[in-house]
Amino acid sequence: ITEILDPEKVKESNLEIGDVIFKVNAKSIAEIIDGFAINSTSNENYLESIVQRFYVLGGKSADSLDVEIVKNSGEIIETGIERYEFSELSPIFKKAAAQKNEKTFYALNNETRYINLGKIQAKALKEAFENYQNKKAIILDLRNYLRS
């Protein structure tokens, strides 16, 4: 988990930044990803149908997901996550995008660091790796990495 967009929804789930979700409804993440399709669209009706079929957190508001998580401490827990209706997702994503920190690298927790390769410059990348060499994990965000 690299970001929590709606702290109220996860309050009772015991989810924290840095936790690793490895199963959802008894399916491994690899199994879930195998079922995804890559889509790009600006048509909201089509986007809603994609979210309903593929987005794990999208669904009926009464639905929830059973997830298995490795906590930062190494402890493995099982918990539930409430799902979102599509109408709830759009404002959350828009708000998150508007508030998104433009930093190219930063700490997620004491042992995990994040680097956005789509935004970072060569000099800053060298600085990030020098600063993070003794950390337990570095997450490299490859989205938008290939810039023209």
Side-chain angles (χ1 to χ4, degrees):
I1 298 174
T2 60
E3 185 174 19
I4 295 175
L5 300 178
D6 189 352
E8 289 300 314
K9 278 253 197 219
V10 300
K11 192 180 282 184
E12 294 179 24
S13 315
N14 194 23
L15 296 175
E16 300 172 312
I17 291 175
D19 291 350
V20 176
I21 297 172
F22 65 94
K23 280 190 180 179
V24 177
N25 289 342
K27 285 187 178 181
S28 72
I29 298 302
E31 290 174 289
I32 294 168
I33 290 171
D34 285 345
F36 283 179
I38 298 173
N39 296 285
S40 176
T41 184
S42 60
N43 178 307
E44 192 156 323
N45 291 329
Y46 184 64
L47 179 60
E48 181 174 355
S49 73
I50 291 169
V51 168
Q52 289 173 348
R53 286 188 322 225
F54 299 111
Y55 188 62
V56 175
L57 291 179
K60 297 180 179 134
S61 63
D63 289 349
S64 65
L65 301 169
D66 294 319
V67 295
E68 293 181 46
I69 299 166
V70 177
K71 301 292 291 172
N72 286 318
S73 64
E75 174 188 13
I76 295 176
I77 67 164
E78 292 182 36
T79 188
I81 300 175
E82 186 180 342
R83 294 177 83 176
Y84 290 87
E85 288 189 30
F86 180 77
S87 60
E88 294 178 279
L89 289 172
S90 187
I92 291 170
F93 287 143
K94 286 178 183 174
K95 180 180 176 185
Q99 295 174 343
K100 190 75 175 159
N101 187 338
E102 291 300 318
K103 289 183 180 178
T104 56
F105 62 96
Y106 51 90
L108 292 173
N109 58 41
N110 287 338
E111 292 298 324
T112 308
R113 299 301 187 257
Y114 169 90
I115 300 174
N116 185 327
L117 293 178
K119 294 180 181 179
I120 199 164
Q121 300 298 317
K123 184 177 179 181
L125 182 60
K126 182 178 179 183
E127 177 187 345
F129 275 109
E130 287 172 357
N131 290 334
Y132 297 168
Q133 65 184 342
N134 294 322
K135 297 302 174 186
K136 193 173 188 178
I138 299 174
I139 296 172
L140 300 175
D141 187 340
L142 300 174
R143 293 173 292 178
N144 303 311
Y145 175 56
L146 295 176
R147 294 179 280 185
S148 36

